[in-house]
Amino acid sequence: VQLQASGGGLVQAGGSLRLSCAASGLTFSNYGMAWFRQAPGKEREFVAGISRSGYNLYYAGSVKGRITISRDNAKKTMYLRMNVLKPEDTAVYYCAAAGLTPQVTDEVDYWGQGTLVTVSS
């Protein structure tokens, strides 16, 4: 199983980014997907999750209203659109897969390698 995250980079506060997570080696539509992030010196935390069909969406309170998670099962890809980025959004963003949509790290079956998002003030 491979989860390849991409799309990170350096952006100014208030800017936008779209992250992608391309999956291979698994039946993508059978897995709930999620994004987690880990800032320097902090624990990995849940950001957003999406059910297998894409119908149910879950967001952390700190990003709700600024971030949209989506998926394309035909392309085996998940996305995270981030708007109005803040310096506190700076972190490595990881995609994750599990039988049910994971919302804590212990629920994750597979991790991607992460993509770095840096928001400058």
Side-chain angles (χ1 to χ4, degrees):
V1 174
Q2 282 196 328
L3 301 175
Q4 184 71 39
S6 62
L10 175 63
V11 62
Q12 288 189 333
S16 299
L17 279 177
R18 189 179 82 155
L19 307 184
S20 298
C21 174
S24 61
L26 77 170
T27 303
F28 186 69
S29 58
N30 286 352
Y31 285 83
M33 300 294 295
W35 290 96
F36 288 75
R37 68 185 181 186
Q38 189 165 18
K42 295 189 176 181
E43 292 188 352
R44 195 169 298 190
E45 64 176 2
F46 171 79
V47 175
I50 186 166
S51 62
R52 288 172 284 186
S53 66
Y55 184 78
N56 295 307
L57 308 178
Y58 309 89
Y59 294 101
S62 59
V63 302
K64 202 167 186 178
R66 300 189 294 117
I67 285 182
T68 303
I69 189 170
S70 61
R71 66 188 293 163
D72 184 332
N73 284 347
K75 295 183 178 180
K76 300 183 179 181
T77 302
M78 172 179 64
Y79 305 97
L80 189 71
R81 176 70 180 181
M82 303 188 292
N83 298 319
V84 195
L85 283 162
K86 304 176 181 181
E88 51 264 42
D89 293 318
T90 295
V92 177
Y93 283 71
Y94 297 91
C95 51
L100 295 176
T101 308
Q103 296 189 51
V104 295
T105 55
D106 287 351
E107 294 174 345
V108 174
D109 292 331
Y110 302 107
W111 290 103
Q113 89 291 355
T115 185
L116 176 62
V117 172
T118 304
V119 184
S120 63
S121 57

